[in-house]
């Protein structure tokens, strides 16, 4: 078999399983989000409403963010010019890291090109700093955390999702003198459930472990100033390393960790994913800093976001659709079949101008394929009415189960 034939076979397998992913051409229009323009394969254009974006609060089009980016690009040009160690550290990067450290109540913060890289680089570097380190990782942690833990060369233990008893068993079975770290998330993005932060911190204290939390789907949206679920629950001081993103609620790009000054300095000095990567452009750093600063003072935007999520979940439940509701802003509707999920996604787009990507294996377990909606403060009553009506009609058209999913 030739290399080309092997590629054909691999791609055909995805088609057969209903898991082949198709990119669609979308042009977001500034000032008009969540509306966008879809360029179809034949070149024609359709107006659509985006219901699966991670720009949770619409900050990607906020005037404060855009003004900061325009000012920075006019002052400095497009790129950063190098890695942070060469020429890629600017006043904009330092200002952003100061905003993030203040946000999380930590001594320091370190910005990466993405939250994926921040997770991967940090978790893969920690065993270099703490020889013999054992990392205890929730089985549903994000792929970036899994990858960082997998390739760090140290010992790892995988505990069942949010299962504190299992985590305790694993901790008890290991050498009490070995350095330890527990890695978990505050909100798991596919089901929208919360991690038991306080209980994990209690176990960490009992067994002398460090704590590493991914707040990617919570920063900007939870807590008095948007620092995440740990801030909402007044637990930030108990977490050693906090990971977050600038590409979701903050509407820009990049990721970061916030921790002690020593921890950030050590990661900065040892992590190849930081050392050898060109830094984010100054304009991106400026926009992110402006977004973080703005959302520290915008609790009303967070409140409206939660109201939108509650309203959508209530209306979909009223139709008997099988949604998962753990009380977060994420609204998963379970279809349970990859082919049906893709068909629903295609019909919503082509017949109703509603864009939501199908979520299939390996992102979620087989049999739990779903549509994942992310309502935002910029989705108005008209958009929500159109979505609910379309879902009701398509669910009936496809004769799908209306039994409610478990919360």
């Amino acid at each position: 078999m030739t290399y080309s034939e092997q590629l054909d076979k691999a791609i055909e397998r995805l088609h057969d399983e209903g898991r082949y992913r198709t990119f669609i051409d979308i042009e977001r229009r500034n000032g008009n989000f969540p509306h966008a323009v879809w360029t179809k394969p034949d070149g024609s254009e359709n107006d659509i409403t985006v219901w699966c974006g991670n720009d949770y609060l619409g900050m990607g089009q906020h005037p404060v963010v855009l003004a900061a980016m325009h000012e920075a690009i006019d002052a400095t040009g497009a790129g950063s010019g190098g890695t942070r160690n060469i020429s890629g550290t600017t006043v904009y990067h330092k200002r952003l890291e100061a905003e993030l450290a203040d946000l999380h109540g930590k001594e320091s913060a370190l910005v990466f090109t993405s939250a994926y890289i921040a997770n991967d680089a940090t978790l893969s570097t920690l065993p270099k700093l703490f020889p013999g380190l054992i990392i205890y990782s929730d089985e549903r942690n994000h792929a970036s955390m899994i990858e960082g833990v997998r390739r760090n060369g140290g010992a790892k233990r995988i505990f069942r999702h949010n299962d504190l008893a299992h985590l305790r068993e694993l901790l008890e079975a290991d050498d009490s003198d070995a350095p330890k770290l527990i890695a978990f998330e505050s909100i798991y993005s596919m089901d929208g459930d919360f991690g038991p932060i306080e209980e994990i911190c209690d176990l960490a204290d009992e067994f002398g472990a460090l704590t590493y939390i991914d707040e990617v789907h919570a920063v900007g949206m939870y807590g008095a100033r948007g620092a995440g679920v740990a801030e909402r629950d007044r637990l930030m001081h108990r977490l050693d390393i906090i990971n977050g993103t600038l590409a979701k609620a903050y509407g820009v790009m990049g990721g970061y960790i916030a921790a002690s000054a020593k921890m950030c300095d050590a990661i900065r000095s040892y992590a190849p994913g930081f050392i050898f990567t060109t830094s984010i452009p100054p304009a991106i750093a400026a926009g992110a800093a402006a977004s973080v600063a703005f959302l520290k003072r915008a609790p009303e935007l967070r409140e409206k976001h939660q109201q939108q999520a509650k309203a959508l979940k209530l209306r979909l439940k009223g139709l008997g659709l099988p949604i998962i509701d753990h009380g977060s802003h994420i609204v998963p509707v379970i279809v349970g079949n990859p082919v049906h999920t893709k068909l629903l996604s295609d019909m919503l787009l082509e017949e109703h101008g509603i864009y939501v990507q199908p979520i299939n294996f390996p992102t979620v377990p087989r049999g739990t394929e779903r549509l994942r909606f992310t309502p935002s403060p910029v989705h108005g009553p008209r958009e929500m009415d159109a979505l609910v009506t379309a879902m009701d009609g398509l669910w009936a058209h496809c004769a799908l189960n209306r039994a409610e999913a478990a919360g």
Side-chain angles (χ1 to χ4, degrees), residues 50-65:
V50 178
W51 273 98
C52 58
N54 285 335
D55 187 358
Y56 288 130
L57 302 178
M59 292 301 293
Q61 63 179 355
H62 198 283
V64 168
V65 176

Side-chain angles (χ1 to χ4, degrees), residues 187-207:
I187 298 178
Y188 292 85
S189 64
M190 288 301 111
D191 283 353
D193 56 329
F194 294 88
I197 303 175
E198 184 171 18
E199 292 85 352
I200 287 179
C201 288
D202 289 342
L203 283 173
D205 289 345
E206 181 179 348
F207 289 92

